[in-house]
Amino acid sequence: MRLEASIQEIKGIGEKTKQLFAKIGVYTVGDILLHFPRTYQQFPEPLASGEAAGEGESACAIRGILRQVPLVHRGKRMEITVATAYRQEAEPVELIWYRMPYLRSQLKPKIPYIFYGKLLTEKGRQKMEQCAVYNEGQYAALRESLQPIYGLTKGLTNQMVKKTVSQALDAVEFPADLLPGFVVEREKFPGEEQAYREIHFPETFDRLLEARNRLVYEEFFYFLLCSQLQQQNQSAVKNNWTFPPVAKDDLVERTAAALPYELTAGQRESLDSLRQDLRGAFVSQRLIQGDVGSGKTVVAFLAMLDAVSQGYQAAIMAPTEVLARQHAQTFGQMLEEYGLPYEVVCLVGSMTAREKRMAREKIAGEDGLFVVGTHALIQDAVDFRQLALVITDEQHRFGVRQRETLTKKGASCPHTAVMSATPIPRTLAMILYSNMRISLIRELPANRLPIKTCAVKTEKRPTAYRFIEREIELGHQAYVICPLVEASEKTEAENVLEYGEKLRAFYGGKISVGILHGKMKPTEKNRIMESFAAGEIQVLVSTTVVEVGVNVPNATVILIENANRFGLAALHQLRGRVGRGKDQSYCILMDSSKGEKVAKRLEILNQSNDGFYIAEQDLKLRGPGDLFGVRQSGDFNFRIADIIQDAGWLQKAAADVEKLLKEDPGLVEHSHLHEYARSFMERNTYVL
């Protein structure tokens, strides 16, 4: 079976299951193999008689015998199966299952079983709900290996994914090992098929680590190889700059001097580099790397002004309509405030047909234009007149083909710049963005106060609500972030829909509470964010959809529920939603964990507002069991590799790619590797 084959070719996958897999991004046989476990479970030794579950332990195993057949109670909404297991003669545990009446015929009295689940004590009685049941042999086999736990969606079970992965592994014909011989010999990597088997169903932790190392290296190697090949193919672009270089004048300097604040050293250096690119003889590609709130947008505006003032067009593509509209509004206000005689054209998907037509006509026919938009800018119907500069905001939200499409819209190839807020150390950025020049903005603008951050346990939630209320009374606004959209049977975490109602009840209607999540229609999301930006909504309860969102300087508090479920990089990005005005801002991290390890991690955010420092400290605290935790680096769609955690493998892969292309520049002797690398990249849809 080929990796490109539909997931439906696997036995037992019908149309309904196919649609469920599509919700988690699995469409082909190759996709299911790349749907790596998010973590692993090692089943514990069954508790000894009289031994209680540890404090905060999510699940445990007990050995018990039933004295009689389970009973099934048929209610109006569901069937409830009830039984009593005895750990010893006088140690009963009540067992309850919902919608599982078939257990009545499967569980036999006087036979020992292992019951795995949460062991609760209520009113002196022990009970388990929805526990898994195994015989002694089944449980012993489970204990001998690590069990994969996958990311799921409603209706898709972990067992279903495990079964599908197992069938795919048996059906796929893996190609011969295509990594260069000197790499395989040096690293003693397992074969590709073995690596995939061990990453999904590892017998030991050591084998899991060996498999992961192979797949991490392979991912970096093919990414960097394709990046270098693409760079070779685009070498002709250097001479494709048909417009005269942008002339030098002092308009940008005069506009920068008129700003109500002085540009930081990083902003000034980045702007100067972009302007120097525009005056160069060759087309340039530049990465503007700056922490959240470092002022990348004003740099983009001034660089675009440099091109527009010479009669060219400059475009910026944002990942959301809300952000695109805000850029258009901000740019328009700055043009008016500083008396600049240029126009901003905005093009987003939710505009009416007439609005889109008028915007496209301006883009196709007018010089000296600021163009702002979303993916709508890369539609076939959009033609640019003289596009000299393309800027991609939050570049990791776009695929390589989307960005390439925009750069090919002009009559000639424009200069490009991508802006990123992901804190990647410069040495690694130089490897990953080898075809780009790099500019770094580390400082925050002088008028920004550091965000005060604290991590608290859930019993402090009412205190946090009252603090938010005081900020609202001062005329400010607040965000509340929840990890889920709606309640989940499998995950104990706050969800947006219930949380919004809970907050409304707490404030008794005195405060306007809005709800925002990714399942809303784009027009509804835009309406909510615009209402929040306008101050009509005082508290916005949202999922992480606001991580890249509208700039609301009046928002001074962000409360992040279940902060222990997020990586520090993600928390740092979310915290960046506040602290954008002149007033002191606050970030409250609600920790729902029971241990101290998470609290220690969250304390890092209290120590610093520097994304680079936070990434480094988080890495130091990771243990060997954290291999599949939340990623640090969001700029690349790597399936398994992590730029920070796996920096050593990244550097090795870079050196090996350089050696390979030096010895065989056109991969003439490695034609199969060339072909496979491209198919690998297409299957994974990486951002280059």
Side-chain angles (χ1 to χ4, degrees):
M1 188 178 293
R2 291 174 57 82
L3 292 168
E4 298 80 12
S6 168
I7 191 72
Q8 217 167 349
E9 290 194 22
I10 295 177
K11 185 179 178 181
I13 306 296
E15 185 62 32
K16 183 178 179 181
T17 309
K18 174 187 173 184
Q19 292 175 5
L20 289 175
F21 273 115
K23 290 184 178 180
I24 59 171
V26 171
Y27 303 93
T28 67
V29 175
D31 289 338
I32 192 64
L33 296 183
L34 291 170
H35 187 65
F36 297 119
R38 61 178 176 82
T39 188
Y40 296 87
Q41 178 184 31
Q42 189 159 30
F43 283 88
E45 178 75 27
L47 297 176
S49 177
E51 184 181 1
E55 183 179 351
E57 193 170 347
S58 59
C60 63
I62 63 169
R63 182 179 284 104
I65 294 176
L66 306 186
R67 292 181 180 175
Q68 61 183 34
V69 174
L71 300 175
V72 177
H73 303 291
R74 304 185 187 279
K76 291 182 178 180
R77 301 182 60 186
M78 71 179 76
E79 294 171 310
I80 302 175
T81 306
V82 180
T84 301
Y86 291 86
R87 298 173 67 182
Q88 287 294 333
E89 288 299 317
E91 210 175 333
V93 178
E94 184 181 9
L95 306 175
I96 302 171
W97 295 275
Y98 303 102
R99 297 188 177 93
M100 300 174 71
Y102 55 85
L103 288 175
R104 186 179 189 279
S105 60
Q106 292 183 358
L107 296 178
K108 308 296 183 183
K110 299 182 181 180
I111 296 177
Y113 292 102
I114 305 296
F115 301 97
Y116 180 81
K118 267 192 174 182
L119 182 62
L120 306 174
T121 301
E122 291 183 2
K123 298 180 180 179
R125 291 179 59 85
Q126 292 183 328
K127 76 171 185 178
M128 276 185 164
E129 294 185 356
Q130 295 299 101
C131 60
V133 184
Y134 306 96
N135 62 38
E136 295 270 12
Q138 289 171 331
Y139 195 75
L142 285 175
R143 291 209 66 229
E144 290 179 359
S145 60
L146 298 169
Q147 297 301 309
I149 306 297
Y150 294 95
L152 304 171
T153 188
K154 188 175 182 180
L156 194 64
T157 66
N158 198 69
Q159 184 60 33
M160 190 184 302
V161 177
K162 283 174 61 177
K163 181 180 178 182
T164 306
V165 170
S166 180
Q167 289 178 296
L169 285 168
D170 291 338
V172 166
E173 296 179 8
F174 285 89
D177 202 329
L178 294 175
L179 286 178
F182 71 87
V183 172
V184 177
E185 183 179 347
R186 182 190 69 213
E187 302 297 343
K188 302 295 189 291
F189 282 141
E192 187 171 34
E193 180 177 358
Q194 183 184 349
Y196 274 100
R197 289 188 181 278
E198 292 290 352
I199 205 71
H200 286 286
F201 305 109
E203 292 187 10
T204 65
F205 183 80
D206 286 341
R207 288 195 177 184
L208 167 62
L209 190 58
E210 289 173 1
R212 185 181 184 278
N213 287 344
R214 155 84 194 217
L215 297 175
V216 164
Y217 174 90
E218 184 178 81
E219 196 165 33
F220 283 145
F221 179 85
Y222 290 133
F223 175 88
L224 294 171
L225 179 61
C226 284
S227 179
Q228 290 298 317
L229 292 173
Q230 183 186 54
Q231 191 173 349
Q232 288 178 5
N233 292 338
Q234 292 180 342
S235 59
V237 167
K238 287 186 176 181
N239 297 313
N240 198 27
W241 176 234
T242 57
F243 299 143
V246 173
K248 187 173 183 179
D249 62 32
D250 63 351
L251 177 64
V252 173
E253 282 86 353
R254 285 188 281 112
T255 304
L259 294 172
Y261 49 83
E262 186 175 348
L263 294 178
T264 64
Q267 286 175 309
R268 171 56 65 184
E269 180 184 343
S270 298
L271 176 60
D272 289 346
S273 297
L274 278 170
R275 298 185 69 202
Q276 189 174 359
D277 292 344
L278 288 170
R279 284 160 179 76
F282 302 133
V283 172
S284 69
Q285 299 181 71
R286 182 170 294 277
L287 168 68
I288 306 296
Q289 191 180 8
D291 210 345
V292 286
S294 60
K296 297 184 293 296
T297 303
V298 72
V299 172
F301 170 80
L302 292 171
M304 292 171 74
L305 174 63
D306 204 12
V308 170
S309 65
Q310 302 295 316
Y312 301 123
Q313 293 176 331
I316 183 168
M317 186 165 65
T320 65
E321 289 197 9
V322 172
L323 191 54
R325 289 182 184 275
Q326 182 174 50
H327 282 334
Q329 182 181 11
T330 301
F331 290 0
Q333 289 173 346
M334 293 177 75
L335 291 174
E336 182 178 353
E337 184 174 351
Y338 302 121
L340 301 169
Y342 307 110
E343 187 178 356
V344 178
V345 174
C346 184
L347 182 60
V348 296
S350 66
M351 292 167 62
T352 65
R354 181 175 179 273
E355 289 172 332
K356 289 179 182 176
R357 186 179 68 254
M358 292 176 64
R360 289 196 298 264
E361 288 174 356
K362 280 184 175 291
I363 293 170
E366 296 187 15
D367 298 329
L369 206 61
F370 284 83
V371 182
V372 181
T374 56
H375 299 77
L377 292 179
I378 61 176
Q379 300 303 311
D380 290 340
V382 182
D383 290 313
F384 287 83
R385 182 171 169 80
Q386 291 202 100
L387 185 59
L389 175 64
V390 169
I391 297 177
T392 309
D393 195 5
E394 301 294 347
Q395 66 93 16
H396 62 283
R397 304 286 169 142
F398 300 99
V400 60
R401 291 179 183 83
Q402 292 171 321
R403 297 207 311 273
E404 280 185 349
T405 300
L406 182 55
T407 60
K408 292 175 181 177
K409 284 287 185 180
S412 72
C413 192
H415 297 282
T416 61
V418 296
M419 301 197 298
S420 169
T422 302
I424 306 173
R426 187 176 181 85
T427 53
L428 302 184
M430 290 174 67
I431 294 173
L432 292 162
Y433 295 99
S434 58
N435 59 334
M436 292 186 179
R437 300 167 180 174
I438 300 175
S439 294
L440 181 63
I441 307 175
R442 285 203 74 137
E443 318 94 327
L444 292 180
N447 61 336
R448 298 275 176 88
L449 296 171
I451 301 166
K452 293 184 177 180
T453 305
C454 67
V456 297
K457 293 295 185 180
T458 52
E459 57 266 23
K460 295 291 186 181
R461 191 177 281 129
T463 303
Y465 289 171
R466 287 191 289 271
F467 180 80
I468 289 174
E469 186 174 11
R470 287 197 295 273
E471 285 294 303
I472 300 299
E473 290 171 352
L474 293 172
H476 298 144
Q477 293 165 272
Y479 294 96
V480 175
I481 306 300
C482 298
L484 302 177
V485 175
E486 53 192 356
S488 167
E489 293 180 4
K490 298 189 178 291
T491 306
E492 295 180 3
E494 299 296 334
N495 69 88
V496 166
L497 300 179
E498 291 181 358
Y499 203 104
E501 295 305 318
K502 182 168 66 175
L503 263 189
R504 286 167 180 156
F506 181 88
Y507 292 128
K510 294 186 297 181
I511 291 175
S512 172
V513 177
I515 293 175
L516 180 72
H517 57 78
K519 292 185 178 180
M520 288 178 166
K521 293 180 179 179
T523 51
E524 180 66 7
K525 283 193 287 189
N526 291 336
R527 186 187 66 79
I528 295 294
M529 284 305 298
E530 287 168 2
S531 295
F532 185 60
E536 298 164 4
I537 293 174
Q538 295 167 300
V539 177
L540 181 63
V541 182
S542 173
T543 56
T544 56
V545 71
V546 301
E547 180 187 344
V548 177
V550 69
N551 184 28
V552 184
N554 194 46
T556 57
V557 184
I558 184 166
L559 166 63
I560 305 175
E561 283 286 352
N562 304 108
N564 47 290
R565 294 177 57 85
F566 295 92
L568 294 190
L571 291 173
H572 180 61
Q573 294 283 330
L574 288 167
R575 177 170 63 176
R577 290 298 98 209
V578 298
R580 292 171 173 264
K582 59 180 177 22
D583 299 300
Q584 179 64 58
S585 291
Y586 308 88
C587 175
I588 304 170
L589 305 173
M590 196 63 66
D591 179 11
S592 58
S593 69
K594 292 182 170 56
E596 292 302 316
K597 182 179 178 181
V598 172
K600 185 177 179 182
R601 285 181 65 247
L602 296 178
E603 183 61 24
I604 293 172
L605 289 161
N606 189 25
Q607 298 169 2
S608 175
N609 282 274
D610 184 336
F612 292 90
Y613 172 83
I614 290 166
E616 291 167 2
Q617 294 303 309
D618 195 14
L619 179 58
K620 289 178 183 178
L621 285 178
R622 290 191 189 190
D626 296 325
L627 293 178
F628 291 83
V630 178
R631 304 243 199 279
Q632 289 293 325
S633 41
D635 262 21
F636 299 86
N637 298 331
F638 289 127
R639 296 277 191 162
I640 192 169
D642 180 275
I643 295 167
I644 305 298
Q645 177 173 297
D646 301 311
W649 289 115
L650 174 61
Q651 291 166 330
K652 276 190 175 183
D656 292 341
V657 166
E658 182 180 0
K659 177 183 178 184
L660 177 66
L661 292 178
K662 186 176 181 180
E663 296 174 354
D664 184 12
L667 291 186
V668 176
E669 299 177 13
H670 298 81
S671 57
H672 293 301
L673 176 60
H674 192 173
E675 182 181 344
Y676 184 73
R678 291 194 178 280
S679 68
F680 184 95
M681 295 293 289
E682 288 174 1
R683 291 201 306 275
N684 288 274
T685 59
Y686 288 108
V687 177
L688 282 174

